[in-house]
Amino acid sequence: MGQITLSSVTKSFGEVNVIPPLDLQINDGEFVVFVGPSGCGKSTLLRLIAGLEDISSGQIIIDGTDATHAPPAQRGLAMVFQSYALYPHMTVRKNIAFPLKMAKVPQAEQDRKVENAARILNLGSYLDRRPGQLSGGQRQRVAIGRAIVREPAAFLFDEPLSNLDAALRVTMRQEISELHQSLKTTMIYVTHDQVEAMTMADKIVVLNAGRIEQVGAPLELYTKPRNLFVAGFIGSPKMNFITGPEAQKHGCHTLGIRPEHIEVSAEGPWSGTIGLAEHLGSDTFLKVSSDLGELTVRVPGERGLHHGQTIRMGAPADKLYRFDQNGLAL
Amino acid sequence: MARAVSPSRKFWTTLAAWSVALVIFFPVFWMVLTSFKTEASAVATPPQLFSAEWTLANYQDVWARSDYPRFFWNSVVIALGSTLLGLAIAIPAAWSMAFVPGKRTKDLLMWMLSTKMMPAVAVMVPLYLVFQKLGLFDTRIGLVLALMLMNLPIIIWMLYTYFREIPGEILEAARMDGASLWNEIIYVLTPMAVPGIASTLLLNVILAWNEAFWTITLTTTKAAPLSAFIASFSAPQGLFYAKLSAASTMAIAPILILGWFSQKQLVRGLTFGAVK
Amino acid sequence: MSTQSTRLASRLMVAPSVLLLLVWMIVPLAMTLYFSFRFYRLLSPDRTGWVGINNYTWFFRAPDFWLAMFNTLALVGGVLIITVVLGTLIALLIDQPVKGQGVLRILVIAPFFVMPPVAASIWENLFMHPQNGLFAAASKALGYDPILFLEHYPLLSVIGIVSWEWLPFATLILLTAMQSLSSEQLEAAEMDGAPAFARFRYIVLPHLTRAITVVILIQTIFLLGIFGEIYTTTQGGPGSASTTLPYMIFKQAIVAKDIGRAAAGGIIAVVLANIIAFFLMRGMGRHLDN
């Protein structure tokens, strides 16, 4: 179980309206990622679902029950915080057992569940250490373990990987995805990193200034962004936006071309000079000053392009994104 | 990383620091020394540092002449009682100020502190009358209440500065884990704040132990602590320096020893959030 | 950032403290205010009644009132200046790489554990006493007449005693603050060519602002009510030379047994304390925020 419905949910802090009326349906077993730039309200939205903040109006329904005014503990949700929020004075074992202790679960069952969680998360040999003696990744696992033992209706993750280094982030990302596949529990995951969103989510919710810009599967957002914001936010490097005569030629106000869709070839209709070439090995990113303006271009790594070179470029017509004056996709 | 300094510089700074420290400490040292001299040695001219006649007679006299254990016990009960009661009342208050701050939290804190600025003498008579009326005069419970209220703002402030160093996310995690407010405070906040609570306890025990206005004004005999003990000694004894020193040493020794042993915690607690 | 129920809980949890302090403040204050307009002398218990503002006018016209006001402020100000300046210097000294820092701290902190009546009596009898005090012995050894501290310099003597009591507090807070300064900052300043004094003036001192603020705030709270030290040593004398406002009130209440006048003095003291508190909190609140 783990179906969450938000209807007309709003949140304001005093005069400031952080979340305008918002509707969202999260289905049982889904991995939903809230993504958006910092300050877009994604963490606030998560905290509203968790019950750590009151909503100003609207309704939150969890598994068919109105949970709008329920305290956090009674919503049956578990949360993994950005700082992990482990209890520093308790051992790993006690940390993981804490929710069970609060629920007055018998000791034997507590032990069984803790052992089980430790096995799933490979924490067995650390159970009697304190959080201070663990590495960042291990702490993260303990935080997840503490969430698992509650057998919640849904897991809430608040930017859980942002305190880890790049390599560990990739590993943990995969571990969380695997965990989702084995538990099949609803997960709501907040991040500002669109790569995390794309790789983990069943469903991405793109947020901007408290509003939902688009909801959809990762590839759907990539191939059919509903507006300029989503088009610019999803995909890396960022989509190129072109206005002016070239856009008008295609019958739109703004023309969007993804860097990976631009082809460098002698027959290309556009020309430009390479200002900067970043060689990553597998790929090369080019910053090109062209007749269309500044363009980012992604080409395979071994092309031997470098600073100062003049090149010609083009893009297949079916890979062009067209937007109207209001930024909506045509 | 501490930087290496030249040996000669280290020698001079060490010498200077020790001289200053000894000057500051000297009065206490001299008092203890005097307490072991005979009365004649104590007032001898020139003063005798090591050539004095040593005796334990002063301590025997003081012990025989007054009921030191009772004064001592009253001091312990009053200092510890007022501090523990204060902590029990202050922990929830500090929790709410640190973790659910409002626009007026700072003002509230400042107001609390400002209640301490009212000179005790100014309200001496009314409090005396109130204590008489309520049957609290010359009772330990009365002094526990008075000193608790006197130190409550300090206790709240110290706890507040400690609690603010604890990330709110941890308390929220406890809330998500199903902890009631009570459990959140007992199982999560308090254990995490143990060092801070210990410092607060120490400092306030010392403040209460050394309080010498209300403890003297609001007691006669039954509940009188060591501050009253020493006051009774200095008044009629006049020139009996050695005995006075012995009594003084007996009055301050317990807290001096406690303070020295817990010096590290105390210093940490003394900062009132001045250091981050 | 919280829910309604936590906000409600928070109000309930702060309420006992607020209520207790409110009662602790209001009840004696209201009674003092009431007495201050009454005729209330313990020596003539039969006479009672309202006397308007007579008690206040008596106080303002009393020959030693303004002196007492001055003495009160001089005591607070003097002790603050001495403890902050000396405390900073001593903290700087102990913060150097010296041998036995732990023992040094134990020696320096000692006066803080000495209760005021004991502190006052040590100084009065063992040090400042004109016949038997150590200072007198030192003067005589150097061939001078002993200085009559408590007769000739009563206020300065009291300031000295109180400063000794509070010096450890200031020193330790400032020392802790100094030790929290990152040495990288000082090294950066040294790389920038700042000499030792400039490093103190532009790096160390600003870093200490918050600590100094706290020292001033806490000490003022305690110093405004200083009473025991004066009572033990000078009894406010000679004449009124070391009488402070609290001591003057005490004299009215206990010596003259005039509760009405003492109450009026009490109200004046409370007003003074509030004026000082107001300026202090306004000036300091800024530094205490982060």
Side-chain angles (χ1 to χ4, degrees):
Chain A
M1 292 297 276
Q3 195 183 51
I4 299 170
T5 310
L6 308 184
S7 49
S8 316
V9 165
T10 69
K11 176 68 184 173
S12 34
F13 291 114
E15 299 285 288
V16 189
N17 207 1
V18 190
I19 311 263
L22 177 148
D23 295 282
L24 183 66
Q25 168 78 33
I26 293 164
N27 294 322
D28 185 27
E30 255 181 340
F31 198 118
V32 178
V33 174
F34 294 170
V35 70
S38 53
C40 70
K42 55 190 189 298
S43 280
T44 306
L45 190 56
L46 193 74
R47 292 168 60 84
L48 292 178
I49 296 173
L52 292 171
E53 304 274 352
D54 286 327
I55 60 174
S56 302
S57 67
Q59 221 183 7
I60 296 177
I61 295 165
I62 300 174
D63 286 334
T65 347
D66 185 351
T68 313
H69 300 291
Q74 284 166 27
R75 298 190 179 197
L77 308 175
M79 185 150 165
V80 175
F81 290 85
Q82 183 171 10
S83 65
Y84 321 134
L86 299 180
Y87 311 122
H89 56 289
M90 298 182 196
T91 59
V92 169
R93 186 189 301 279
K94 291 213 167 117
N95 260 284
I96 297 178
F98 188 71
L100 303 173
K101 184 176 168 187
M102 289 298 106
K104 301 202 168 64
V105 171
Q107 187 64 43
E109 200 183 335
Q110 283 189 27
D111 294 343
R112 195 177 51 73
K113 287 189 172 173
V114 171
E115 294 293 339
N116 189 38
R119 194 178 40 73
I120 295 176
L121 295 164
N122 276 327
L123 281 169
S125 46
Y126 305 110
L127 275 178
D128 293 311
R129 297 209 192 163
R130 301 246 167 147
Q133 299 164 290
L134 302 181
S135 70
Q138 289 163 344
R139 285 182 210 187
Q140 182 67 73
R141 284 202 197 96
V142 177
I144 295 172
R146 198 170 60 183
I148 288 179
V149 291
R150 297 188 55 200
E151 292 161 15
F155 290 93
L156 311 179
F157 292 91
D158 188 6
E159 308 223 15
L161 304 185
S162 56
N163 286 340
L164 300 177
D165 63 50
L168 204 50
R169 216 178 299 165
V170 176
T171 324
M172 285 309 295
R173 200 166 80 195
Q174 288 162 359
E175 281 187 29
I176 293 175
S177 292
E178 282 163 16
L179 189 70
H180 178 242
Q181 275 152 25
S182 64
L183 295 177
K184 300 191 170 39
T185 311
T186 310
M187 291 190 176
I188 306 177
Y189 189 105
V190 162
T191 182
H192 60 267
D193 181 350
Q194 58 98 18
V195 178
E196 275 175 30
M198 295 294 283
T199 51
M200 301 171 89
D202 296 325
K203 181 154 102 184
I204 295 181
V205 178
V206 182
L207 287 158
N208 183 28
R211 274 176 297 109
I212 295 182
E213 296 283 349
Q214 191 170 358
V215 178
L219 280 180
E220 189 185 335
L221 297 190
Y222 179 79
T223 51
K224 295 196 191 71
R226 224 171 58 190
N227 55 31
L228 276 177
F229 181 82
V230 177
F233 196 79
I234 300 289
S236 172
K238 213 170 158 308
M239 184 188 278
N240 296 297
F241 292 121
I242 295 148
T243 48
E246 186 68 23
Q248 277 159 18
K249 218 155 67 187
H250 289 85
C252 61
H253 180 263
T254 307
L255 186 66
I257 317 170
R258 294 203 182 273
E260 55 270 38
H261 295 155
I262 298 179
E263 290 158 359
V264 177
S265 66
E267 306 86 58
W270 316 312
S271 79
T273 313
I274 299 177
L276 178 72
E278 292 178 322
H279 298 282
L280 302 183
S282 60
D283 299 303
T284 300
F285 296 149
L286 305 174
K287 295 261 183 264
V288 181
S289 309
S290 73
D291 20 338
L292 301 180
E294 199 71 27
L295 288 182
T296 308
V297 181
R298 175 177 159 183
V299 293
E302 62 279 8
R303 289 287 291 269
L305 296 167
H306 50 80
H307 167 79
Q309 239 176 317
T310 303
I311 50 172
R312 295 200 71 81
M313 301 157 294
D318 62 333
K319 300 284 190 198
L320 297 179
Y321 298 82
R322 301 182 308 133
F323 302 94
D324 68 12
Q325 264 159 325
N326 301 319
L328 294 176
L330 291 168
Chain B
M1 222 187 91
R3 300 197 319 171
V5 292
S6 66
S8 79
R9 173 149 174 233
K10 184 160 179 172
F11 172 79
W12 289 113
T13 48
T14 301
L15 189 70
W18 274 89
S19 314
V20 169
L22 287 173
V23 166
I24 291 174
F25 180 69
F26 185 74
V28 177
F29 168 74
W30 191 246
M31 174 194 79
V32 175
L33 206 65
T34 306
S35 74
F36 290 108
K37 294 176 182 173
T38 59
E39 291 295 350
S41 270
V43 295
T45 328
Q48 299 176 325
L49 186 55
F50 297 113
S51 57
E53 277 180 70
W54 304 111
T55 175
L56 287 173
N58 305 308
Y59 287 94
Q60 285 156 356
D61 272 16
V62 171
W63 186 271
R65 262 204 41 200
S66 65
D67 193 357
Y68 177 80
R70 187 180 41 117
F71 287 108
F72 172 79
W73 184 239
N74 282 339
S75 270
V76 171
V77 170
I78 291 164
L80 212 56
S82 66
T83 305
L84 291 177
L85 186 61
L87 279 174
I89 295 170
I91 287 177
W95 172 89
S96 89
M97 287 173 150
F99 297 112
V100 196
K103 271 186 231 105
R104 286 189 302 275
T105 298
K106 208 99 207 175
D107 295 336
L108 189 62
L109 202 61
M110 286 292 157
W111 168 75
M112 286 180 169
L113 278 179
S114 77
T115 62
K116 266 194 80 63
M117 285 200 171
M118 190 156 64
V121 175
V123 291
M124 173 177 67
V125 175
L127 265 179
Y128 179 88
L129 295 174
V130 169
F131 267 60
Q132 289 277 15
K133 194 106 196 151
L134 297 178
L136 292 171
F137 182 77
D138 200 19
T139 62
R140 289 197 290 233
I141 184 78
L143 276 188
V144 164
L145 283 176
L147 295 193
M148 183 275 285
L149 286 163
M150 207 184 73
N151 286 335
L152 190 58
I154 296 277
I155 299 180
I156 292 178
W157 190 11
M158 287 183 72
L159 290 178
Y160 166 78
T161 56
Y162 280 110
F163 288 178
R164 281 210 317 180
E165 289 169 15
I166 294 172
E169 273 198 351
I170 291 188
L171 300 188
E172 289 182 343
R175 240 168 274 166
M176 290 297 295
D177 283 345
S180 62
L181 195 53
W182 175 250
N183 285 339
E184 176 184 323
I185 290 180
I186 295 293
Y187 289 111
V188 181
L189 178 65
T190 309
M192 283 184 73
V194 159
I197 293 175
S199 306
T200 312
L201 180 104
L202 274 170
L203 180 69
N204 283 281
V205 164
I206 292 168
L207 287 178
W209 186 281
N210 289 343
E211 207 285 332
F213 183 77
W214 292 122
T215 48
I216 294 172
T217 313
L218 297 178
T219 60
T220 50
T221 49
K222 266 192 4 253
L226 286 169
S227 54
F229 162 83
I230 198 67
S232 77
F233 256 94
S234 51
Q237 288 290 90
L239 290 175
F240 293 105
Y241 280 12
K243 260 192 225 50
L244 176 66
S245 298
S248 299
T249 306
M250 287 164 78
I252 67 167
I255 214 71
L256 191 68
I257 292 165
L258 172 76
W260 275 348
F261 273 112
S262 55
Q263 192 238 140
K264 275 221 169 72
Q265 288 78 355
L266 185 68
V267 170
R268 217 175 332 123
L270 271 177
T271 61
F272 289 97
V275 181
K276 0 195 56 196
Chain C
M1 299 282 254
S2 49
T3 63
Q4 238 167 4
S5 63
T6 51
R7 277 194 297 276
L8 180 70
S10 126
R11 292 223 181 89
L12 287 178
M13 284 166 68
V14 84
S17 300
V18 173
L19 287 179
L20 281 170
L21 285 174
L22 209 59
V23 171
W24 174 246
M25 188 185 79
I26 297 279
V27 171
L29 197 62
M31 288 173 75
T32 308
L33 199 61
Y34 170 77
F35 291 149
S36 74
F37 295 109
R38 301 282 295 181
F39 184 94
Y40 184 178
R41 288 185 195 164
L42 297 178
L43 295 178
S44 38
D46 305 330
R47 260 187 76 193
T48 54
W50 296 97
V51 291
I53 58 163
N54 282 0
N55 289 326
Y56 289 91
T57 44
W58 178 87
F59 235 92
F60 283 113
R61 288 202 193 124
D64 46 1
F65 173 71
W66 292 107
L67 180 63
M69 286 289 258
F70 168 81
N71 285 345
T72 309
L73 297 177
L75 178 62
V76 174
V79 174
L80 282 180
I81 291 170
I82 291 174
T83 52
V84 169
V85 172
L86 280 185
T88 309
L89 293 177
I90 296 173
L92 268 177
L93 193 60
I94 299 183
D95 194 29
Q96 305 292 316
V98 293
K99 277 215 173 85
Q101 213 183 41
V103 185
L104 278 179
R105 269 218 301 252
I106 282 184
L107 294 180
V108 170
I109 202 176
F112 189 68
F113 302 133
V114 178
M115 60 176 72
V118 171
S121 92
I122 298 177
W123 282 97
E124 182 194 9
N125 294 308
L126 301 184
F127 288 87
M128 294 175 172
H129 195 280
Q131 274 96 48
N132 307 322
L134 266 190
F135 290 155
S139 299
K140 278 183 224 157
L142 296 171
Y144 295 102
D145 285 337
I147 301 166
L148 302 178
F149 285 95
L150 298 176
E151 282 76 33
H152 292 166
Y153 311 102
L155 188 64
L156 287 178
S157 301
V158 172
I159 290 177
I161 295 171
V162 177
S163 298
W164 178 75
E165 290 179 87
W166 283 97
L167 189 57
F169 176 80
T171 306
L172 289 173
I173 288 196
L174 293 168
L175 179 64
T176 319
M178 253 175 224
Q179 288 172 339
S180 75
L181 177 65
S182 87
S183 59
E184 278 186 12
Q185 257 190 62
L186 286 174
E187 283 166 3
E190 215 175 335
M191 294 296 290
D192 291 341
F197 180 75
R199 289 203 296 275
F200 175 75
R201 167 74 187 75
Y202 294 105
I203 310 285
V204 179
L205 209 52
H207 180 78
L208 293 183
T209 319
R210 202 177 148 86
I212 292 176
T213 306
V214 167
V215 170
I216 292 177
L217 189 62
I218 296 279
Q219 287 200 43
T220 307
I221 287 171
F222 283 91
L223 294 177
L224 274 173
I226 285 284
F227 167 80
E229 287 84 344
I230 299 174
Y231 176 73
T232 312
T233 55
T234 65
Q235 307 262 325
S240 300
S242 60
T243 295
T244 59
L245 195 52
Y247 199 80
M248 196 175 165
I249 297 164
F250 172 80
K251 272 201 298 196
Q252 279 310 305
I254 300 302
V255 183
K257 305 213 183 303
D258 189 329
I259 307 303
R261 281 182 191 164
I267 295 298
I268 295 170
V270 168
V271 170
L272 177 73
N274 274 293
I275 292 172
I276 293 175
F278 176 78
F279 283 108
L280 209 58
M281 304 283 174
R282 243 180 48 156
M284 308 263 134
R286 197 160 41 92
H287 291 305
L288 289 176
D289 283 332
N290 12 284

